[in-house]
Amino acid sequence: MNNQNNLNKQQREAVLEIESPVLIFAGAGSGKTRVLTQKIVHLIESNIYPAHKILSVTFTNKAATEMKTRVKSMLPEMNDSSLSIGTFHSIAARILRFEAQYLGYERSFTIYDTEDGKKLIKDIVKEMDLNASMYNARNILSIISSNKNNFVSPDELREKSKNPYETKMADIYEKYQERLINNNAMDFDELLLQPLYLFRDFPERLEFYRQRYQYILVDEYQDTNKPQFEFVKYLAGDHQRITVVGDDDQSIYGWRGADITNILEFEKTFPDANIIKLEQNYRSTKHILKAAHSVVKHNTKRSPKELWTDNNDGSLITLKQSEDERGEAKFIVSRIQRSYKSDNKKFGDFAILYRTNAQSRAIEEKLIHGTIPYSIVGGLKFFERKEIKDVLAYLRLIANVKDNISFERVVNFPTRGLGMTTIRKLSIRAGQLNQSLLEAMETTETLEIRPAQKEVMKKFKVLIDDLKSQSDSKPAVEICRSLIKEISLEAHYLNQNSEDEADRWNNVEELIRGIELFCDENPEAKLSDYLENVSLQTDLDRWNDAKDSITLMTVHSAKGLEFPVVFITGLEERLFPLRVNDEQDLDEERRLFYVAMTRAKEKVYLTHAQFRRRYGGDAPSYMMRSEFIDHIPSEILDEIKLPANKKISTGNYPDLEFWQANSYRGQKNKLAGDKQIEGEGDFKVNQIVDHKMWGRGKVLSIEGMGEKAKITVLFSGDIRKKLIAKYAGLKLLSS
């Protein structure tokens, strides 16, 4: 029998409790993965539930793989295929492959990514003869996604419409849903919604899955959105055999629909829940935990808790003020070089975290100049490269002949002489016949196009049909190799005598190797299985943490990871925190900072710049350091300021000297209080104020008197706003 000797009291309680629903508040570095895997092993070893009756849901493929590996190491005799461990999307896709016919889909459905969705929207906007600028595809897709995740249908959106624009938005939404079904495709939101429709409309299928999954475990529960919550509720709401693990202090995905109340109000759904808190941290030093808690404790909507550790105090938190982003990058690289040489560190021990991807550019330049190896998580992803998307579009069309988005991408690649006019005629014919574009190619003889084009179309359809007929019996890699040979793709790239084109072919070869590896690891898998796997991959899935290189990533991407040394960059108002709309957003920014801090095991560096070039501009913007820094106790900070005599040319920036003199260093400049400024008697030029949306700023001028006075404020990021005194919503920080 597996023992729990390596667990503390709370961890052991969480593993052994199976009679009631369990909510585990697991702080950063408190061993939640150990608890989840030990619980799975306990359920199996104690013959409580067999492996195939247990469902464990994670938020990343990396976490799912790690969990499978750990369980397998403790139960080496167990068959891997009996374990149901995966992300919400992968579990949902697995269910839908078997149940698609109930929902008006075929099992060969394609999973559309964001770019596919935008292409659908653009086509719809064009067909409706709407202004493409006003009806921006990215914005519309975001609105559709938000409505889906809140269970708002196109008809309901139309009923709530207050103007013609919103009515048109509902029409686009409706047509978008129709196109998905016609193309036998689902977007990521639909993957989560369709199982709910299945459970709602087909009770016998719900009962089947309730019987199949008799114990359910959910990781990162604080990041679940409404559909994910409903998915769990459907499956476990009847038998109540469920364990969820999460940390409300690490809920950082509100911007994409995550609902923190799911974890904070778990007991409302599962009234008999046993709540267990894991507060012992095994990862970080005392100073790191103290700094992280000093910021997140300012959130009011959180479960009261504070991590503690038996680890030592560790190094002080280094706080570095730089002149600009180039100075910031120079400092980071110099500290890495010093630690690499004198502290026996590997490059893989360092992570550089930032709030936005745009911040990586200056750091990359310095790393390249210093010939230091680094890896970026994010940026241009491998599967988003044109040459890769082209090959995958072919494979998707082979798997799903109704996929018009993939058809349009590859029908004239490599060039076959089929122009837009020809495809438009085919599209009209397909609409008349209620067929896909590929299916409509059967009727090319009667299309008004040149004989040569008819012949090309026939050959293209034969190619796709032939490879499709082989796709159920041959491995995906063989289908891919046959495709590439038939369309002479290697010659297409290499005959152009271009280094860029040669690189594209090298990427295609890497894709082939990846498909081959997938087939070796999954000998029973079909082409559709590989395509599903690719569709659900994330940035982290291609990150090689065994490679000795510095890791650059956003804080969001770093969730769930740990490094000996962490640099948290760009700690400036309107950057980190971004301060988007309201206090709720600021709460999430605090949680994001907490996540960033607790990635570190030994050492944290915090950096901020006085000036930063943003959004590709040449002129630097004034930046005030983040309020998060002011919350950290001064006794655990080692602050490195710019030299007192450091002078930066003011040029065309008349307020430069003021900002240099008011950069809020250390604890001396603690907030003067949260006094709300209400009348002209309270306003003075040169006061430092704070606004919920725009952050800190300096009062430049006052026009008029009383509540109607107009106050001009220069905010961090070189943003000027003229506000009416009565509605300004400003808080006084200092005079």
Side-chain angles (χ1 to χ4, degrees):
M1 296 286 288
N2 177 59
N3 62 66
Q4 288 87 35
N5 291 337
N6 61 339
L7 302 177
N8 63 35
K9 179 183 176 182
Q10 290 74 26
Q11 290 173 332
R12 190 176 301 109
E13 180 186 358
V15 167
L16 297 178
E17 177 56 70
I18 58 172
E19 296 301 324
S20 61
V22 180
L23 165 60
I24 305 171
F25 279 110
S30 62
K32 69 179 178 66
T33 304
R34 181 190 309 164
V35 169
L36 284 173
T37 53
Q38 289 268 21
K39 187 153 194 169
I40 293 171
V41 171
H42 172 64
L43 291 171
I44 297 170
E45 274 196 333
S46 302
N47 295 316
I48 301 171
Y49 297 106
H52 67 279
K53 294 284 187 180
I54 301 170
L55 174 65
S56 183
V57 189
T58 68
F59 263 79
T60 66
N61 296 313
K62 180 179 174 61
T65 300
E66 181 181 356
M67 198 174 296
K68 287 178 183 177
T69 302
R70 289 196 189 190
V71 172
K72 182 64 177 173
S73 69
M74 289 185 272
L75 298 173
E77 302 301 318
M78 188 185 63
N79 185 343
D80 285 1
S81 62
S82 62
L83 278 175
S84 290
I85 301 178
T87 65
F88 273 102
H89 287 92
S90 65
I91 296 295
R94 192 182 309 167
I95 291 173
L96 292 172
R97 292 293 176 198
F98 287 98
E99 311 291 350
Q101 68 274 15
Y102 288 96
L103 300 162
Y105 283 89
E106 298 174 12
R107 291 186 176 184
S108 60
F109 65 82
T110 300
I111 300 173
Y112 277 177
D113 62 17
T114 302
E115 291 304 311
D116 298 321
K118 284 163 56 180
K119 176 66 167 60
L120 273 185
I121 298 294
K122 288 177 181 177
D123 290 346
I124 293 168
V125 168
K126 186 175 182 180
E127 290 171 13
M128 293 176 65
D129 198 25
L130 299 174
N131 186 310
S133 298
M134 181 179 297
Y135 295 90
N136 177 271
R138 181 183 295 277
N139 294 340
I140 293 175
L141 196 60
S142 177
I143 292 170
I144 290 174
S145 177
S146 178
N147 279 284
K148 282 188 178 186
N149 286 320
N150 285 289
F151 305 114
V152 177
S153 70
D155 286 339
E156 290 169 325
L157 183 61
R158 191 176 292 109
E159 288 176 8
K160 295 191 302 181
S161 298
K162 299 176 182 177
N163 52 57
Y165 177 83
E166 292 180 355
T167 301
K168 288 292 185 186
M169 192 70 69
D171 294 340
I172 296 170
Y173 180 9
E174 184 173 56
K175 289 180 180 295
Y176 175 80
Q177 291 298 99
E178 291 173 356
R179 293 292 173 86
L180 287 178
I181 294 175
N182 291 340
N183 287 8
N184 191 32
M186 298 186 197
D187 59 19
F188 292 133
D189 295 320
E190 212 66 26
L191 277 180
L192 298 178
L193 291 171
Q194 289 295 335
L196 305 184
Y197 304 151
L198 177 76
F199 297 155
R200 180 194 65 193
D201 298 336
F202 301 94
E204 71 281 5
R205 301 316 298 157
L206 172 59
E207 185 58 28
F208 171 82
Y209 285 102
R210 281 179 173 171
Q211 290 299 316
R212 177 170 181 178
Y213 299 126
Q214 295 188 6
Y215 201 94
I216 298 170
L217 303 100
V218 184
D219 192 11
E220 304 286 6
Y221 190 69
Q222 78 280 350
D223 289 328
T224 52
N225 60 19
K226 288 183 179 180
Q228 290 161 338
F229 168 77
E230 290 296 329
F231 180 84
V232 171
K233 185 179 175 183
Y234 264 120
L235 290 180
D238 183 44
H239 55 60
Q240 305 270 303
R241 295 186 289 269
I242 182 172
T243 292
V244 303
V245 183
D247 180 9
D248 53 307
D249 286 337
Q250 297 185 74
S251 179
I252 59 175
Y253 292 108
W255 52 276
R256 68 181 189 193
D259 188 350
I260 195 172
T261 60
N262 289 347
I263 189 169
L264 294 177
E265 299 179 0
F266 181 78
E267 292 168 282
K268 289 187 177 180
T269 307
F270 301 95
D272 299 324
N274 185 3
I275 298 177
I276 301 168
K277 293 184 179 181
L278 305 183
E279 295 176 290
Q280 182 176 1
N281 176 283
Y282 295 92
R283 176 188 299 155
S284 306
T285 66
K286 286 185 173 70
H287 286 335
I288 291 172
L289 295 183
K290 187 173 184 179
H293 184 257
S294 69
V295 173
V296 80
K297 73 179 183 181
H298 288 273
N299 285 356
T300 55
K301 198 174 182 180
R302 64 184 292 266
S303 174
K305 57 189 171 302
E306 183 173 358
L307 290 181
W308 62 274
T309 183
D310 283 333
N311 296 338
N312 57 33
D313 287 343
S315 302
L316 295 177
I317 310 299
T318 298
L319 172 63
K320 177 64 171 78
Q321 177 192 39
S322 297
E323 177 182 327
D324 55 21
E325 71 274 11
R326 290 169 295 189
E328 179 183 58
K330 182 179 179 181
F331 168 77
I332 292 170
V333 173
S334 68
R335 283 303 170 103
I336 289 174
Q337 289 173 324
R338 180 195 299 181
S339 186
Y340 181 79
K341 293 174 182 177
S342 61
D343 299 337
N344 199 30
K345 292 285 187 225
K346 306 188 299 294
F347 287 127
D349 291 335
F350 300 93
I352 304 173
L353 308 183
Y354 33 76
R355 184 63 181 82
T356 64
N357 278 308
Q359 291 169 251
S360 71
R361 182 184 59 81
I363 300 168
E364 283 187 78
E365 288 177 357
K366 289 295 181 184
L367 290 170
I368 291 170
H369 181 73
T371 63
I372 298 174
Y374 68 92
S375 301
I376 293 186
V377 177
L380 181 60
K381 306 172 186 69
F382 178 77
F383 289 104
E384 290 181 358
R385 296 178 185 276
K386 179 185 182 304
E387 60 273 20
I388 302 303
K389 288 184 75 73
D390 288 339
V391 175
L392 290 178
Y394 265 110
L395 297 178
R396 295 198 320 183
L397 183 60
I398 292 166
N400 173 22
V401 296
K402 292 185 177 181
D403 186 355
N404 286 341
I405 292 291
S406 294
F407 176 94
E408 291 179 4
R409 185 178 187 101
V410 300
V411 69
N412 199 39
F413 173 80
T415 304
R416 296 184 173 90
L418 299 176
M420 290 301 298
T421 302
T422 303
I423 302 304
R424 193 176 301 114
K425 290 179 179 179
L426 179 65
S427 180
I428 293 171
R429 175 65 58 83
Q432 293 169 342
L433 299 174
N434 195 26
Q435 291 181 332
S436 71
L437 292 170
L438 185 71
E439 291 168 332
M441 276 187 161
E442 289 280 5
T443 67
T444 52
E445 279 299 332
T446 58
L447 275 181
E448 294 182 1
I449 56 177
R450 298 194 307 273
Q453 292 175 316
K454 293 180 181 180
E455 188 62 28
V456 167
M457 282 193 176
K458 288 179 183 177
K459 288 182 178 180
F460 180 81
K461 188 171 191 308
V462 168
L463 168 68
I464 302 301
D465 288 346
D466 182 50
L467 291 173
K468 182 172 182 60
S469 67
Q470 303 174 42
S471 61
D472 285 334
S473 58
K474 291 184 178 181
V477 68
E478 288 191 30
I479 302 299
C480 185
R481 288 194 177 113
S482 297
L483 165 70
I484 287 170
K485 181 180 179 182
E486 289 294 330
I487 63 176
S488 303
L489 193 59
E490 182 177 7
H492 167 77
Y493 286 122
L494 299 186
N495 287 350
Q496 297 184 50
N497 294 319
S498 162
E499 186 174 337
D500 287 344
E501 297 304 304
D503 286 342
R504 291 183 188 277
W505 172 245
N506 289 336
N507 288 333
V508 171
E509 288 187 310
E510 184 179 344
L511 174 67
I512 298 170
R513 287 191 292 270
I515 299 175
E516 185 174 31
L517 179 61
F518 176 84
C519 292
D520 289 343
E521 294 175 348
N522 305 274
E524 301 299 319
K526 306 300 181 190
L527 175 62
S528 58
D529 297 312
Y530 170 75
L531 292 172
E532 180 178 303
N533 176 266
V534 169
S535 297
L536 300 178
Q537 282 205 3
T538 64
D539 293 344
L540 284 177
D541 295 322
R542 289 188 58 81
W543 173 59
N544 181 6
D545 54 352
K547 184 179 177 182
D548 189 24
S549 62
I550 296 164
T551 299
L552 278 66
M553 62 173 69
T554 64
V555 182
H556 282 100
S557 297
K559 177 80 175 294
L561 304 179
E562 60 180 38
F563 301 88
V565 183
V566 170
F567 292 83
I568 305 174
T569 67
L571 280 164
E572 298 132 29
E573 293 294 302
R574 294 191 58 78
L575 183 56
F576 199 0
L578 276 177
R579 294 271 196 146
V580 182
N581 288 312
D582 52 27
E583 193 67 26
Q584 184 173 321
D585 289 336
L586 185 55
D587 284 355
E588 183 149 320
E589 292 291 314
R590 290 193 190 103
R591 294 194 292 267
L592 197 58
F593 179 80
Y594 176 86
V595 167
M597 288 291 301
T598 54
R599 298 312 93 201
K601 297 197 287 188
E602 302 169 11
K603 176 69 180 176
V604 171
Y605 292 88
L606 307 178
T607 67
H608 67 101
Q610 284 190 321
F611 301 91
R612 189 176 296 273
R613 289 166 180 81
R614 301 183 67 186
Y615 312 117
D618 292 328
S621 295
Y622 306 121
M623 307 300 291
M624 294 189 74
R625 84 181 199 176
S626 172
E627 68 174 65
F628 296 163
I629 296 171
D630 294 321
H631 293 315
I632 300 173
S634 58
E635 65 268 18
I636 64 172
L637 282 177
D638 173 24
E639 187 167 3
I640 307 172
K641 304 175 184 177
L642 283 172
N645 60 355
K646 177 72 173 178
K647 280 291 180 182
I648 306 171
S649 174
T650 57
N652 296 320
Y653 309 105
D655 300 300
L656 177 55
E657 292 183 3
F658 172 85
W659 288 106
Q660 289 177 314
N662 292 275
S663 57
Y664 285 79
R665 299 182 177 92
Q667 295 299 303
K668 292 183 295 183
N669 289 319
K670 277 290 187 182
L671 304 188
D674 287 343
K675 177 183 177 184
Q676 191 76 28
I677 298 176
E678 295 177 345
E680 86 283 0
D682 290 316
F683 285 112
K684 294 180 181 179
V685 173
N686 289 344
Q687 278 181 327
I688 301 300
V689 295
D690 182 76
H691 189 279
K692 284 186 176 181
M693 181 175 294
W694 296 299
R696 297 183 186 186
K698 165 199 171 186
V699 177
L700 296 182
S701 64
I702 303 169
E703 302 172 28
M705 299 176 64
E707 63 182 20
K708 295 182 179 180
K710 297 177 181 178
I711 305 101
T712 300
V713 182
L714 175 64
F715 291 101
S716 181
D718 205 20
I719 295 172
R720 293 172 187 258
K721 293 289 179 180
K722 182 174 286 190
L723 306 169
I724 305 298
K726 182 177 180 180
Y727 308 107
L730 297 171
K731 291 181 181 180
L732 175 62
L733 298 186
S734 77
S735 298

